[in-house]
Amino acid sequence: MRPCLARPILLVSLVSVISGSVFTHSILAHAQTAKPKLTLDEFFNSVSFPSVKVSPDGNSVVIETERADWEQQIFRKELWLYRVAGGSLTQLTQSGHDSSPQWSPDGQWIAFLSERKVAAIKDADTADDKDKDKDVAQLFLISPVGGEAFAITSGADEVHAFAWSGDSKAIYFATRQPWTKQQNDDHKKEWKDVIRYRGDERGDVIYRINLEDVLARHAALGKRELPDAEKDANVTPGARVISSTALRVTEISVARDEKRLAFVSSSVSERQEEVGDFELYLVNHLDLLKLAYPTTTVGPTRLTSNEAVELHLEWAPDNRHLFFQVNLGSLDRKYEDPQPRLYWVDAGDTLYKRPEEREVQRWFADYPGEVVRYTPLPDGSVLCACRIGTEVQLATQANPKAAIVKRDGWAGTYEAPAAASQSQSSRIAFVYSATVRPTEVYIADGPDKLAQARPITSFNKLFTERELPRAKPYRWTSDDGTPVEGMLMYPPEKFEAKNLPMFVLIHGGPQDADGNHFAADWYQWDRLAATAGWLVFEPNYRGSTGYGDKFALQIVPEIVSRPGKDILTGVDALVKDGIADPNQLAVGGYSYGGYMTNWLITQTTRFKAAVTGAGAVEHVANWGNDDTTFDDAYFLGGLPWETPDRYRSEAAIFQINKVRTATHIVAGADDIRVAVLEDYLLDRALHEWDIPSDLLIFPGEGHELAKNPWHGKIKVREELKWLSKYGGVTGTN
């Protein structure tokens, strides 16, 4: 890499040969004000914001942060509280394991999940052997006015989902059906350490626990011992069963009048094998049950029956309609993957309505792009972070048939919108970034006041003190005449320069898009590549979101060959325009970006280096091992025995003999989204052809590389070295 001394040496040379004090002064002034370039260490110290929640009255915001802890080798998740009055930001929790905060409706408490070690929770006699050393997520409470957080659930099974009651007097939560000590002992005696792949699966139970009882037990903690019967039951003391299901509960939402509870189901295996496992369910008349029938449980009523995966569940203020998003599948017809959408279902009237009899309406139906995330507003309207092209902007809609109103704000990307729930407040919070504006949390006095929004965090301030690469959209025409768009990120001080070495960095998904936003992690490391001297080309190929449903659906059934042509025609256009140097091209990506990288190096020898991660090279075994099998079959036009020719023709492994590109490979050892065996297979095939390759396996990691921050840092460090060694670009970093 070029040493940092290069610029001062150049300045001395210029000053010595150019006369004129004004010109000399301007150069020296530039030298004094120029920002240093971003380093690898600084890049990986970025902070992200997985969750932002506004208090019911709009006067406070609870923020979840995530950052690398290099000594403990974990990603620290902590909660912070911002108070509008006084503008103070204080740290609420410090365990490093706290996530998913939810305000009580009266604003007096914040509930959250935590995997922190709590002696009272762990009981080796009741836990399964495989779970004994695992810190499971339990439910905690903390007061926003101060004090220590304390656990309100216990047992060997983690809390899958939770929600406050409408009156703030209780919390509902779901866990796997618990086993008693006797059941665990019997199972261990019969099966030893054998894993019964499907036989050991069991569904969830939804409980209700009164806040008054929780506080009384917490006050008495350490003063009295739990009865043996409660210990043996392996159930949170005082929790009452409300309902149960043979499926897993991933989200819970309680109507504000507390007459109905809704939940999202998924498969107990956590694999998407049967689309019918993913539906919305209703538990009705909770208020009557808890008062008149304290020992009664109710079976859930199915609200939906479709070929879609529902998520992001929230009740509308009218207590009748239930909002939900669909990011996989479709409510309109047989399974397909258009852009993510927002709906609501009429959950009122009688329990006896069949799912097909309930009215479901689509919000933002006329919006040409993607509904990324949403939040209901107190007046019944919806605030949406919506993607169109390379921008994610905020928009509102009063009802499913009303006009969509684009809210004027800044160019860039708005994420995680949150709003106060009480009608007297219009305050909203959100995460915002742009290519040269690092990610922070902002607050605004309403959707109509985005231009006056103010940041309430400054965790990523260091990035504003570094010379960040600049970027802009780039558009070209694919081989079939379809317009395609992407982003170009230029090396520092070379914005809009020509004849640059180019690295094609392909996003995953495929339902995603690159655009005007800031990112700094192991998955999107374009800023580091640009700082190292590469022009980074990020194509939004066919299958990407933000360009209409037709564009997203044209990936079927040509899962890699269709987007591959889009990417290669983009490379051709950049070379033709004189922007990219045809003799210095490299390619890379992770997940679906890895699929595409593996495919592209079989289609052309123009790339000198490739860096790929968690990408399949064939589709039959990948379909069988993947935890999202029904979308794989959809993308390929059928199951392996239905369209075997397609599974072969769209697979890189059968064309590996064409590869001449030196290829670096990474994978998580426990990845089940794209089985690690795909990466071993690619490396073996390249080795057979004497193609330079290197394979890094990260122990304990799944698809997301979310366990140990060192793994992601080492990944990118080695990928940059690979690009330098085989791509021939030595930059400054």
Side-chain angles (χ1 to χ4, degrees):
M1 293 185 178
R2 190 179 305 126
C4 294
L5 290 175
R7 186 194 308 225
I9 291 172
L10 175 61
L11 287 174
V12 171
S13 175
L14 284 170
V15 172
S16 65
V17 299
I18 299 176
S19 60
S21 61
V22 174
F23 191 81
T24 303
H25 179 269
S26 68
I27 294 177
L28 292 173
H30 174 74
Q32 294 170 354
T33 60
K35 297 177 180 179
K37 287 184 169 60
L38 192 62
T39 69
L40 180 77
D41 290 341
E42 292 169 343
F43 181 84
F44 280 99
N45 282 327
S46 66
V47 177
S48 62
F49 307 98
S51 182
V52 175
K53 298 290 183 181
V54 179
S55 64
D57 61 8
N59 292 329
S60 301
V61 182
V62 62
I63 301 165
E64 177 187 344
T65 62
E66 182 173 337
R67 71 173 80 203
D69 184 325
W70 303 108
E71 284 192 17
Q72 295 192 43
Q73 301 186 39
I74 62 169
F75 287 99
R76 296 190 66 83
K77 295 182 178 181
E78 295 164 332
L79 304 183
W80 297 71
L81 183 69
Y82 175 82
R83 296 186 183 279
V84 175
S88 62
L89 181 67
T90 57
Q91 189 168 351
L92 273 180
T93 66
Q94 300 183 45
S95 81
H97 302 281
D98 309 322
S99 63
S100 307
Q102 288 191 28
W103 288 93
S104 61
D106 62 7
Q108 299 300 305
W109 294 95
I110 298 169
F112 62 94
L113 296 177
S114 181
E115 295 178 359
R116 63 178 71 184
K117 295 182 184 295
V118 178
I121 291 177
K122 298 180 71 62
D123 187 341
D125 290 333
T126 58
D128 292 342
D129 273 3
K130 64 179 180 295
D131 292 330
K132 280 185 179 179
D133 297 323
K134 180 180 178 183
D135 296 317
V136 299
Q138 298 291 346
L139 191 55
F140 282 69
L141 277 186
I142 193 168
S143 169
V145 299
E148 293 294 323
F150 58 93
I152 64 173
T153 62
S154 59
D157 295 300
E158 69 177 4
V159 174
H160 294 157
F162 72 95
W164 283 94
S165 65
D167 59 7
S168 301
K169 293 182 179 180
I171 296 181
Y172 297 86
F173 65 93
T175 71
R176 185 175 63 167
Q177 175 70 54
W179 277 355
T180 64
K181 182 179 184 299
Q182 186 63 53
Q183 286 174 307
N184 274 290
D185 289 346
D186 292 344
H187 183 270
K188 180 179 179 180
K189 181 178 180 180
E190 182 175 4
W191 295 103
K192 307 302 186 229
D193 60 349
V194 174
I195 297 172
R196 300 169 67 214
Y197 178 56
R198 298 191 191 277
D200 285 342
E201 294 172 353
R202 55 191 192 265
D204 275 15
V205 177
I206 299 175
Y207 297 91
R208 183 182 192 273
I209 187 166
N210 291 327
L211 181 61
E212 183 178 339
D213 293 342
V214 165
L215 297 178
R217 287 179 183 275
H218 177 61
L221 189 66
K223 298 178 182 179
R224 64 182 180 85
E225 193 72 23
L226 287 177
D228 289 341
E230 288 191 359
K231 288 182 179 179
D232 291 347
N234 197 25
V235 176
T236 297
R240 178 200 151 195
V241 177
I242 292 295
S243 190
S244 61
T245 172
L247 298 166
R248 182 184 177 99
V249 176
T250 57
E251 296 181 34
I252 296 175
S253 185
V254 180
R256 300 180 192 192
D257 62 6
E258 210 184 340
K259 291 183 178 180
R260 284 175 289 274
L261 174 150
F263 67 85
V264 182
S265 68
S266 71
S267 69
V268 288
S269 68
E270 298 185 73
R271 291 176 177 265
Q272 295 178 356
E273 297 177 317
E274 300 291 337
V275 72
D277 289 343
F278 303 84
E279 299 293 355
L280 304 183
Y281 287 84
L282 190 69
V283 180
N284 217 28
H285 301 306
L286 296 180
D287 57 339
L288 297 178
L289 287 169
K290 71 184 181 186
L291 294 174
Y293 307 101
T295 61
T296 303
T297 62
V298 179
T301 299
R302 191 166 174 169
L303 272 179
T304 57
S305 180
N306 52 54
E307 296 194 16
V309 177
E310 297 92 343
L311 72 166
H312 301 154
L313 192 64
E314 286 203 51
W315 283 92
D318 65 6
N319 291 307
R320 180 185 181 99
H321 289 89
L322 189 64
F323 288 106
F324 62 96
Q325 280 187 249
V326 169
N327 285 12
L328 289 173
S330 172
L331 269 62
D332 300 332
R333 56 186 67 86
K334 189 176 179 180
Y335 185 95
E336 65 175 12
D337 275 340
Q339 299 177 113
R341 298 172 174 180
L342 174 65
Y343 298 88
W344 75 2
V345 58
D346 188 344
D349 296 334
T350 175
L351 278 171
Y352 304 105
K353 274 190 174 182
R354 295 191 300 272
E356 59 269 22
E357 295 175 322
R358 295 187 180 274
E359 183 182 29
V360 178
Q361 293 178 291
R362 181 180 169 191
W363 286 69
F364 299 93
D366 294 331
Y367 191 80
E370 167 195 2
V371 175
V372 180
R373 284 299 296 267
Y374 77 98
T375 187
L377 298 176
D379 62 3
S381 62
V382 171
L383 177 67
C384 166
C386 297
R387 185 192 305 279
I388 185 74
T390 57
E391 300 279 321
V392 179
Q393 295 290 302
L394 294 179
T396 56
Q397 190 176 27
N399 60 67
K401 297 182 180 179
I404 298 170
V405 180
K406 182 185 178 302
R407 298 300 181 173
D408 293 331
W410 308 308
T413 294
Y414 291 83
E415 302 174 274
S421 59
Q422 296 177 6
S423 58
Q424 66 266 29
S425 176
S426 60
R427 192 163 283 140
I428 62 171
F430 50 84
V431 176
Y432 169 79
S433 72
T435 55
V436 292
R437 290 185 66 175
T439 310
E440 299 290 358
V441 180
Y442 290 73
I443 196 168
D445 291 330
D448 57 340
K449 294 181 172 60
L450 294 183
Q452 290 78 48
R454 54 197 181 277
I456 59 176
T457 64
S458 58
F459 289 108
N460 291 311
K461 181 183 177 183
L462 179 138
F463 289 94
T464 67
E465 301 166 353
R466 296 295 178 266
E467 188 174 27
L468 297 178
R470 294 174 61 188
K472 70 174 187 178
Y474 179 78
R475 299 172 183 87
W476 71 98
T477 302
S478 193
D479 62 302
D480 61 353
T482 300
V484 189
E485 185 177 46
M487 292 294 291
L488 291 180
M489 183 168 288
Y490 289 83
E493 300 182 344
K494 293 186 179 180
F495 185 64
E496 296 186 329
K498 297 287 188 176
N499 200 38
L500 296 170
M502 188 171 75
F503 173 46
V504 184
L505 182 57
I506 307 169
H507 70 73
Q511 286 200 338
D512 197 0
D514 285 307
N516 186 8
H517 71 121
F518 185 90
D521 55 41
W522 61 267
Y523 173 74
Q524 190 159 19
W525 45 284
D526 45 8
R527 283 161 182 78
L528 280 182
T531 301
W534 293 93
L535 168 69
V536 184
F537 173 40
E538 299 170 291
N540 290 335
Y541 50 81
R542 224 79 58 96
S544 302
T545 52
Y547 299 93
D549 288 339
K550 180 181 178 182
F551 190 89
L553 293 171
Q554 284 180 334
I555 196 173
V556 179
E558 300 168 313
I559 186 172
V560 287
S561 61
R562 176 61 272 165
K565 293 173 184 175
D566 291 344
I567 295 169
L568 290 178
T569 55
V571 173
D572 289 339
L574 285 161
V575 169
K576 182 179 180 181
D577 290 345
I579 299 172
D581 180 353
N583 298 312
Q584 287 188 294
L585 300 175
V587 65
Y590 191 89
S591 189
Y592 189 82
Y595 278 61
M596 290 308 310
T597 300
N598 300 343
W599 173 258
L600 289 172
I601 60 176
T602 70
Q603 303 301 299
T604 178
T605 59
R606 68 198 312 181
F607 297 115
K608 306 300 182 185
V611 290
T612 181
V617 290
E618 57 76 53
H619 302 295
V620 177
N622 189 56
W623 167 83
N625 293 316
D626 194 349
D627 63 345
T628 60
T629 58
F630 48 71
D631 70 325
D632 283 353
Y634 160 74
F635 282 131
L636 286 157
L639 295 165
W641 48 88
E642 294 172 338
T643 58
D645 291 342
R646 183 69 65 184
Y647 276 72
R648 180 183 176 89
S649 65
E650 293 288 311
I653 191 64
F654 299 110
Q655 302 185 54
I656 288 292
N657 59 313
K658 301 177 184 177
V659 176
R660 299 294 181 269
T661 303
T663 304
H664 188 276
I665 312 164
V666 299
D670 298 337
D671 192 351
I672 60 170
R673 179 62 48 83
V674 181
V676 65
L677 294 179
E678 296 287 328
D679 303 280
Y680 282 110
L681 178 57
L682 173 59
D683 182 71
R684 173 71 182 88
L686 294 174
H687 182 74
E688 185 72 14
W689 281 92
D690 293 325
I691 304 299
S693 67
D694 198 7
L695 173 60
L696 302 182
I697 304 296
F698 301 117
E701 296 284 8
H703 194 62
E704 300 296 330
L705 302 190
K707 297 287 187 182
N708 186 338
W710 282 103
H711 293 156
K713 188 174 185 177
I714 291 170
K715 166 192 177 291
V716 175
R717 182 192 73 193
E718 296 307 306
E719 288 172 329
L720 285 168
K721 288 180 181 178
W722 192 267
L723 293 180
S724 175
K725 179 178 180 179
Y726 291 99
V729 176
T730 303
T732 301
N733 192 25

